[in-house]
Amino acid sequence: LMKTLDDELKLCKEFAGLVSTKLGFMQTDGKSKEAEDAEAESNLAQLQADVVKCEAACSEAKVILKAATAAVSNLEAEHSMLIARVPQLEAEKKAHAGKRDFKAASKASKEIKDASARLKECEEELVGEAADKKKAAEEELKKLTEELEKTRKVAEEEEKVAGIARMHDLAKQIEQLVATKREMCGDTSSNQNTVKGVGAFVLEG
């Protein structure tokens, strides 16, 4: 019985030393990687922030393109309406003149002049400023979309690398724990009510 107690006490001391040697080494090794891990996490966070920034820029560009497209559509609709309206006004003017209703004919004449002037403005805008704004918005959205895809790809690759690195670190720690358990506890089950059993239980947990 005394020999068993001595053996158990000896194992207790070995396990106590284990905390400050083998397991302590694992903790120290982890701390030595802390700076690297922090830098990697910082880089990944920056990449993720860049992705969010690019997504916001793309969303804004889509709004601008939508507005520019709507402006062109409105001009086209107004242009079509004026094209149809001018002949109607000319017919009204002619009819009023035939009835010698010069006041109504003069009013129709003024409306024809205004409609023709606006028609010319619409045509100029459709091939000028409005078209240029729409084209510029399309090009900007295309550029930002390409930048977003590129940034997102880099971030995804970095996330993949970081995940693999974490899995490798975890596997290494598990391997060290298994080797330590094998060395200190042998085939002792964690269910056994002995120092080795308790040690096995701790290392398995």
Side-chain angles (χ1 to χ4, degrees):
L1 179 61
M2 292 300 295
K3 184 178 184 305
T4 301
L5 288 174
D6 287 341
D7 290 341
E8 293 287 276
L9 287 171
K10 183 179 179 182
L11 279 173
C12 285
K13 291 180 180 179
E14 290 180 2
F15 276 116
L18 175 68
V19 173
S20 60
T21 55
K22 294 183 178 295
L23 297 183
F25 170 75
M26 291 171 61
Q27 294 174 353
T28 302
D29 184 57
K31 289 181 179 179
S32 68
K33 289 178 83 307
E34 189 174 330
E36 291 180 23
D37 292 342
E39 183 178 0
E41 289 179 6
S42 176
N43 291 338
L44 180 57
Q46 182 59 56
L47 287 171
Q48 292 170 335
D50 290 342
V51 170
V52 173
K53 183 179 179 181
C54 288
E55 288 174 341
C58 281
S59 296
E60 183 178 353
K62 287 178 181 177
V63 171
I64 293 173
L65 176 57
K66 184 177 180 180
T69 301
V72 170
S73 297
N74 291 338
L75 284 169
E76 290 174 340
E78 185 179 4
H79 182 269
S80 297
M81 183 272 293
L82 291 170
I83 286 289
R85 180 60 177 157
V86 170
Q88 293 175 352
L89 290 170
E90 289 175 343
E92 290 175 11
K93 176 185 175 182
K94 185 176 180 180
H96 291 313
K99 296 178 182 179
R100 302 183 67 81
D101 187 350
F102 300 115
K103 183 177 180 181
S106 177
K107 180 181 178 183
S109 180
K110 183 178 183 305
E111 290 180 357
I112 291 170
K113 182 179 179 181
D114 292 342
S116 297
R118 180 55 187 161
L119 184 61
K120 183 178 179 181
E121 290 176 358
C122 288
E123 290 172 346
E124 290 175 349
E125 288 185 42
L126 282 170
V127 297
E129 183 179 0
D132 291 342
K133 285 184 177 180
K134 182 181 178 183
K135 183 179 179 180
E138 289 172 339
E139 291 176 349
E140 181 68 8
L141 178 58
K142 181 181 178 182
K143 183 187 77 172
L144 291 173
T145 299
E146 291 174 352
E147 184 177 342
L148 170 59
E149 291 304 316
K150 181 180 178 181
T151 305
R152 183 178 285 158
K153 184 177 180 180
V154 172
E156 288 173 351
E157 286 297 322
E158 190 67 22
E159 288 174 354
K160 182 179 178 181
V161 170
I164 292 174
R166 283 194 292 269
M167 289 301 100
H168 283 168
D169 288 344
L170 181 59
K172 183 178 178 182
Q173 291 177 12
I174 292 173
E175 183 180 350
Q176 289 176 327
L177 284 171
V178 170
T180 300
K181 177 178 175 290
R182 188 183 303 114
E183 177 186 346
M184 300 299 298
C185 305
D187 296 328
T188 301
S189 170
S190 59
N191 294 325
Q192 293 184 21
N193 191 23
T194 63
V195 172
K196 282 188 177 183
V198 173
F201 176 80
V202 171
L203 291 173
E204 288 175 1

